Amino acid sequence: MKDMPTKERILYAALDLISEKGYDGVGVDLIAENAGLKGPSLYRHYKGKEDIFHSLIDMVESHYIEGFGFKNTQEKFPESMDDLIENAMGRIQFTMHDDVIRKTRRILAMEQFRSERMAELTTRYHLENLQEFYADIFAEMMGKGVLKQDDPKYLALEFVAPVTLLIHIYDRQPERETEVLERIRKHFEHFAKVYGKEKSAC
């Protein structure tokens, strides 16, 4: 973290602290100390804790969009149900193991009832963006004859909602990771069996 630009170092320090102590449990001086700064010098980069917090969320949003692959959807439509499962499992690995995303989920869980923006982000990233993302994929797969004709938005909801619940179990009980991943894969395989139009290896 020492090699990072100062503004970024401050944000990562805030991410670590707020994910452990909550927003109200962290002061500017503590963020500065964890970023390797003196308290007053932090104000050269941010107006205060609220400014740091909103900048942190902006950074995390960009990180998530890039890492999850939202920007590249149109180039990577699955050609089969097996492709769909493997692509989805790859995104699950990112979601579960990326340190920034894991810590952000903790912050969302704690702060969604304090902050209107955090409540909106929780809904958006835990469900709405994923539903839209997979609805687009499913519509394309239906057009290619890979997936049965149905309402792609409803199928996307059916596809992603159980996964969100299972990842929350993992967040609370990381020792259950193997079980959670197995249950997610079985859910995807069941989805492929019910809605796929071609013979799947699962």
Side-chain angles (χ1 to χ4, degrees):
M1 197 161 85
K2 290 180 180 179
D3 297 330
M4 289 181 184
T6 303
K7 289 190 75 167
E8 192 173 337
R9 199 163 73 242
I10 291 167
L11 296 183
Y12 277 95
L15 175 68
D16 290 344
L17 290 166
I18 296 172
S19 68
E20 290 297 324
K21 301 174 181 293
Y23 181 84
D24 291 336
V26 176
V28 170
D29 287 345
L30 185 58
I31 294 172
E33 180 184 338
N34 276 262
L37 303 170
K38 299 291 185 183
S41 63
L42 182 145
Y43 291 99
R44 296 176 193 159
H45 305 281
Y46 297 101
K47 296 175 184 176
K49 187 167 75 168
E50 195 71 17
D51 187 25
I52 293 169
F53 188 65
H54 286 296
S55 297
L56 170 62
I57 297 307
D58 290 341
M59 179 195 77
V60 169
E61 283 195 85
S62 296
H63 178 81
Y64 183 58
I65 288 168
E66 186 66 32
F68 191 84
F70 284 120
K71 289 182 178 179
N72 302 316
T73 308
Q74 302 303 321
E75 301 172 7
K76 298 184 179 179
F77 286 116
E79 296 293 330
S80 68
M81 298 305 291
D82 291 331
D83 283 347
L84 172 67
I85 291 171
E86 295 311 315
N87 290 347
M89 289 302 299
R91 291 187 169 96
I92 294 299
Q93 291 288 344
F94 167 75
T95 299
M96 290 175 65
H97 296 131
D98 185 271
D99 199 43
V100 171
I101 300 306
R102 289 181 65 241
K103 289 175 180 176
T104 301
R105 276 201 307 276
R106 285 178 58 91
I107 294 173
L108 288 171
M110 289 188 284
E111 303 299 328
Q112 61 184 305
F113 301 107
R114 182 195 70 84
S115 162
E116 185 176 332
R117 184 179 184 197
M118 296 303 282
E120 187 271 331
L121 285 174
T122 302
T123 300
R124 191 196 315 167
Y125 282 103
H126 284 179
L127 185 60
E128 290 176 346
N129 279 8
L130 290 169
Q131 186 179 1
E132 291 172 9
F133 178 75
Y134 279 105
D136 288 344
I137 290 175
F138 293 163
E140 180 73 13
M141 293 177 74
M142 287 175 195
K144 292 180 177 179
V146 178
L147 201 65
K148 292 177 182 177
Q149 291 296 322
D150 207 316
D151 181 342
K153 290 184 179 179
Y154 180 80
L155 291 191
L157 178 62
E158 185 175 336
F159 190 74
V160 304
V163 176
T164 298
L165 293 174
L166 288 165
I167 288 176
H168 285 317
I169 291 174
Y170 162 75
D171 285 341
R172 291 188 295 270
Q173 298 173 285
E175 69 277 8
R176 295 177 66 181
E177 176 180 352
T178 300
E179 173 199 348
V180 165
L181 285 170
E182 286 176 357
R183 291 174 70 181
I184 289 173
R185 180 174 283 278
K186 285 180 180 178
H187 163 62
F188 289 158
E189 291 174 351
H190 178 74
F191 182 92
K193 182 179 179 181
V194 172
Y195 294 109
K197 289 185 70 175
E198 31 100 36
K199 185 173 176 166
S200 172
C202 15

